[in-house]
């Protein structure tokens, strides 16, 4: 299996909506974004699948060194070998890739976030940076597109947090800011014990509104001159906004279930968004 084939398999097996946004890209850009996505999956899996925090920290430290090897010309892992090709072609900054690992390390140090400002830093590291890297791979001419990419990345991570509240709670994590829980009178114990309430529904509707504001802000920031090149991000935004609509329509029952769209619906949204430009 070649490095590109390994990354392709990693992306396809994840079942992520991101996979559908890559389908219509030219081969060189598709290979590069798939390598970036596979890297994100690898380091995210370290945190999600390793119950021993010390072991997870050791594995992330290994990925830090392996990432540095991309820029020294000596990577060993299939993902970093693929990333090396992407870096040479699209000039991916090492410090941004290292920031993704910074975000994963935050998961090892904390399971609660006091306010949205603190959560926003986490979202920037694990998703905003990815948005910036992806925008560079897709190509842009206007620097304002960086603002779009940053905000879109934040919106994606907020959507992930909304979708995965129950799943994260079962791992002992609550990403919803404590200040928001207090505002809507939702005890952390209700989330950890999957106790749905009208207050919780209102809390989640507030989170959905916040995510939607980032989507709207991002799309408003995208210069028309770069809109065609940045269609993969717009595809992903369309899929994730449809997911938010489903969650809200279901009454925000994210403690008991993980809402998802069917592959066919994702493909339809991806195709329709792409052809509309």
């Amino acid at each position: 299996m070649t490095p590109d084939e390994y990354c392709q398999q990693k992306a396809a097996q994840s079942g992520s909506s991101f996979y559908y946004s890559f389908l219509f890209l030219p081969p060189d850009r598709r290979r590069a974004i798939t390598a970036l996505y596979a890297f994100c999956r690898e380091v995210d899996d370290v945190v999600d699948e390793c119950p021993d925090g010390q072991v997870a920290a050791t594995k992330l430290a290994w990925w830090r060194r392996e990432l540095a090897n991309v820029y020294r010309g000596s990577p060993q892992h299939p993902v970093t070998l693929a990333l090396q090709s992407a870096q040479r072609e699209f000039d991916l900054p090492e410090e941004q890739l290292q920031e993704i690992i910074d975000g994963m390390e935050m998961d090892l140090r904390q399971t609660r976030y006091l306010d949205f400002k603190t959560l926003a830093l986490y979202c920037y590291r694990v998703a905003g940076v990815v948005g910036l890297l992806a925008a560079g791979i897709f190509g842009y001419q206007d620097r304002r597109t960086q603002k779009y990419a940053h905000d879109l990345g934040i919106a994606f991570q907020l959507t992930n947090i909304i979708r995965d509240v129950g799943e994260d709670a079962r791992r002992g994590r609550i990403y919803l800011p404590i200040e928001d829980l207090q505002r809507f009178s939702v005890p952390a114990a209700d989330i950890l014990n999957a106790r749905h309430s009208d207050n919780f529904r209102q809390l989640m509707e507030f989170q959905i509104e916040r995510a939607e504001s980032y989507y709207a802000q991002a799309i408003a920031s995208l210069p028309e001159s770069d809109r065609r090149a940045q269609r993969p991000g717009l595809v992903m935004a369309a899929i994730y906004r449809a997911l938010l609509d489903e969650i809200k329509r279901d009454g925000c029952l994210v403690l008991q279930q993980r809402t998802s769209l069917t592959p066919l619906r994702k493909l339809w949204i991806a195709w329709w968004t792409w052809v509309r430009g």
Side-chain angles (χ1 to χ4, degrees):
M1 186 182 295
T2 68
D4 287 336
E5 287 169 344
Y6 179 95
C7 293
Q8 176 69 21
Q9 186 179 76
K10 188 81 176 177
Q13 286 178 341
S14 72
S16 170
S17 299
F18 281 92
Y19 178 72
Y20 294 86
S21 68
F22 307 161
L23 294 176
F24 308 107
L25 282 170
D28 57 339
R29 298 186 192 277
R30 187 167 65 246
R31 284 193 298 270
I33 194 65
T34 302
L36 174 61
Y37 177 76
F39 168 73
C40 293
R41 282 260 46 91
E42 291 283 357
V43 294
D44 188 56
D45 287 347
V46 168
V47 175
D48 285 346
E49 297 177 4
C50 187
D52 187 316
Q54 191 58 50
V55 173
T58 301
K59 289 184 176 182
L60 288 179
W62 182 89
W63 276 105
R64 277 199 187 280
R65 294 191 297 272
E66 182 65 3
L67 191 54
N69 288 338
V70 169
Y71 295 84
R72 296 177 186 140
S74 57
Q76 302 297 317
H77 194 279
V79 166
T80 46
L81 286 166
L83 262 184
Q84 184 179 54
S85 297
Q87 190 278 326
R88 287 171 176 167
E89 190 161 5
F90 297 102
D91 194 25
L92 307 179
E94 180 181 0
E95 60 271 20
Q96 289 186 338
L97 288 163
Q98 293 285 4
E99 273 197 282
I100 297 170
I101 299 179
D102 291 342
M104 301 305 166
E105 288 181 338
M106 289 178 72
D107 274 330
L108 301 182
R109 296 194 303 267
Q110 65 187 102
T111 58
R112 304 287 191 279
Y113 290 84
L114 179 63
D115 51 31
F116 182 68
K117 181 180 179 181
T118 312
L119 179 64
L121 173 62
Y122 171 77
C123 291
Y124 168 72
R125 286 175 170 172
V126 301
V129 170
V130 180
L132 293 170
L133 288 163
I137 291 171
F138 301 148
Y140 63 88
Q141 300 172 347
D142 193 318
R143 290 182 62 85
R144 289 178 296 171
T145 296
Q146 293 180 331
K147 167 67 173 165
Y148 148 83
H150 167 276
D151 289 347
L152 195 62
I154 301 296
F156 289 157
Q157 188 59 28
L158 292 175
T159 304
N160 286 336
I161 288 170
I162 291 165
R163 179 196 61 198
D164 296 339
V165 171
E167 188 174 306
D168 289 329
R170 288 187 284 277
R171 293 190 176 109
R173 298 181 196 158
I174 300 177
Y175 290 99
L176 306 176
I178 293 172
E179 65 177 5
D180 293 349
L181 269 63
Q182 293 174 341
R183 174 180 174 182
F184 289 92
S185 301
V186 176
D190 279 6
I191 296 175
L192 294 172
N193 293 292
R195 288 195 290 263
H196 186 84
S197 66
D198 190 57
N199 284 0
F200 178 78
R201 179 186 55 76
Q202 292 177 39
L203 166 67
M204 296 313 300
E205 287 178 351
F206 175 76
Q207 305 302 319
I208 291 171
E209 288 174 11
R210 175 183 279 153
E212 281 289 358
S213 73
Y214 270 91
Y215 283 115
Q217 191 171 288
I219 292 170
S221 300
L222 179 60
E224 191 61 34
S225 60
D226 287 334
R227 185 177 179 90
R228 187 171 182 84
Q230 296 297 319
R231 280 182 297 179
L234 297 175
V235 165
M236 189 63 204
I239 292 172
Y240 260 30
R241 292 178 101 172
L243 176 64
L244 287 178
D245 286 344
E246 284 291 324
I247 291 172
K248 189 171 183 178
R249 191 178 300 115
D250 287 345
C252 302
L253 299 175
V254 291
L255 291 172
Q256 294 87 7
Q257 63 189 37
R258 188 179 191 269
T259 302
S260 62
L261 306 181
T262 65
L264 184 60
R265 187 173 176 193
K266 290 178 186 177
L267 186 60
W268 166 254
I269 293 171
W271 176 81
W272 179 243
T273 307
W274 190 271
V275 296
R276 288 175 61 199

